[in-house]
């Protein structure tokens, strides 16, 4: 059974519905809780894929979080081996940086809560995104922005963020938003990052209430997307 490394940067930013897709594909995974001091694996030997989750830190804070460099090296190793890679929120930013893109604070401000994204024409024939609605409303919690990595394909955008999702080659995907979030996950993030919501004048109650309406259709989408991401790993 192929094992998936899952790099986790905060307890509330977990696999969510990605875990359902991995279980459906009979895949095992191993959390690497980097922010708690667990070392990033030296390489991808013996692993079937790599998932890099979200977190409150920034890619440009390598002096404060030196393990960010280790994560980029692990991504590079996975790419050399043509293994499936998935970056979510901060994970997408780390993936973009590992691929040579600039990551910085979004001059248009933070995007927190439920915001609609628009799929590009490139998503129509994409392995993960084909057949999805042209517009959808996933969950967001990010204040950074990244350029499209050289050679990558942009798949989705948002009003404040020109590149919300991208693909490099056939196996590596970065999602700035959260397809994987559950109602419980939204509530947990709202509690963990409550001070940020106050600073941004975003009512937590409204965000959590919206989750009851918006997570059911999102779960149908995430099941398709993450099952497709996991499917090549079954043959390893």
């Amino acid at each position: 059974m192929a094992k998936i490394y899952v790099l986790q940067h905060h307890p509330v930013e977990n696999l969510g519905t990605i875990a359902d897709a991995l279980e459906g594909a009979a895949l095992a995974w191993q959390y690497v809780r980097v922010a708690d001091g667990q070392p990033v694996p030296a390489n991808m030997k013996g692993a079937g894929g790599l998932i890099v989750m979200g977190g409150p830190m920034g890619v440009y804070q390598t002096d404060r979080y030196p393990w960010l460099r280790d994560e980029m090296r692990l991504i590079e190793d996975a790419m050399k081996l043509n293994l499936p890679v998935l970056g979510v929120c901060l994970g997408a930013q780390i993936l973009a940086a590992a691929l040579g893109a600039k990551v910085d604070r979004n001059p248009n401000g933070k995007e927190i809560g439920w915001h609609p994204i628009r799929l590009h024409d490139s998503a129509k024939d994409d392995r993960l995104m084909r057949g999805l609605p042209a517009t959808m409303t996933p969950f967001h919690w990010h204040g950074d922005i990244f350029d499209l990595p050289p050679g990558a394909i942009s798949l989705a955008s948002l009003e404040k963020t020109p590149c919300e999702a991208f693909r490099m080659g056939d196996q590596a995907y970065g999602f700035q938003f959260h397809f994987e979030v559950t109602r419980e996950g939204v509530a947990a993030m709202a509690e963990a990052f409550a001070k940020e919501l106050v600073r941004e004048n975003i009512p937590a109650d409204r965000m959590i209430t919206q989750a009851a309406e918006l997570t059911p259709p999102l779960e149908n989408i995430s099941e398709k997307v993450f099952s497709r991401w996991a499917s090549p790993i079954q043959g390893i």
Side-chain angles (χ1 to χ4, degrees), residues 112-163:
I112 301 175
W114 300 93
H115 302 285
I117 62 169
R118 178 181 61 84
L119 297 189
H120 299 168
D121 287 343
S122 55
K124 292 179 180 178
D125 298 320
D126 182 75
R127 182 171 71 86
L128 303 195
M129 312 288 271
R130 66 179 187 275
L132 299 186
T135 60
M136 62 190 79
T137 307
F139 189 68
H140 303 256
W141 201 310
H142 54 84
D144 289 345
I145 193 171
F146 53 81
D147 295 334
L148 182 67
I153 304 297
S154 183
L155 298 170
S157 59
L158 184 62
E159 183 179 357
K160 290 183 178 181
T161 312
C163 186

Side-chain angles (χ1 to χ4, degrees), residues 80-99:
K80 289 177 183 177
L81 297 172
N82 198 33
L83 294 174
V85 177
L86 176 63
V88 177
C89 198
L90 171 65
Q93 298 158 13
I94 297 172
L95 174 59
L99 295 172

Side-chain angles (χ1 to χ4, degrees), residues 37-203:
Q38 293 185 358
V40 175
N43 55 61
M44 291 295 294
K45 184 177 181 180
L50 175 64
I51 300 174
V52 188
M53 298 304 301
M57 55 287 298
V59 172
Y60 38 78
Q61 294 179 300
T62 51
D63 289 345
R64 184 174 179 181
Y65 306 105
W67 42 259
L68 285 164
R69 297 189 185 93
D70 298 330
E71 294 196 10
M72 291 182 209
R73 283 194 288 267
L74 189 65
I75 289 171
E76 291 170 357
D77 191 52
M79 296 290 294
K80 289 177 183 177
L81 297 172
N82 198 33
L83 294 174
V85 177
L86 176 63
V88 177
C89 198
L90 171 65
Q93 298 158 13
I94 297 172
L95 174 59
L99 295 172
K102 180 184 177 182
V103 181
D104 209 341
R105 296 190 185 279
N106 192 338
N108 297 315
K110 295 183 178 182
E111 290 171 332
I112 301 175
W114 300 93
H115 302 285
I117 62 169
R118 178 181 61 84
L119 297 189
H120 299 168
D121 287 343
S122 55
K124 292 179 180 178
D125 298 320
D126 182 75
R127 182 171 71 86
L128 303 195
M129 312 288 271
R130 66 179 187 275
L132 299 186
T135 60
M136 62 190 79
T137 307
F139 189 68
H140 303 256
W141 201 310
H142 54 84
D144 289 345
I145 193 171
F146 53 81
D147 295 334
L148 182 67
I153 304 297
S154 183
L155 298 170
S157 59
L158 184 62
E159 183 179 357
K160 290 183 178 181
T161 312
C163 186
E164 276 284 329
F166 69 91
R167 180 189 79 237
M168 176 62 83
D170 296 325
Q171 301 283 58
Y173 284 81
F175 297 147
Q176 178 89 309
F177 46 82
H178 293 273
F179 265 152
E180 84 292 349
V181 77
T182 63
R183 291 174 63 180
E184 297 79 9
V186 172
M189 291 175 72
E191 181 179 357
F193 307 126
K195 291 181 179 179
E196 186 173 7
L197 292 180
V198 172
R199 287 196 301 269
E200 298 296 320
N201 196 28
I202 297 173

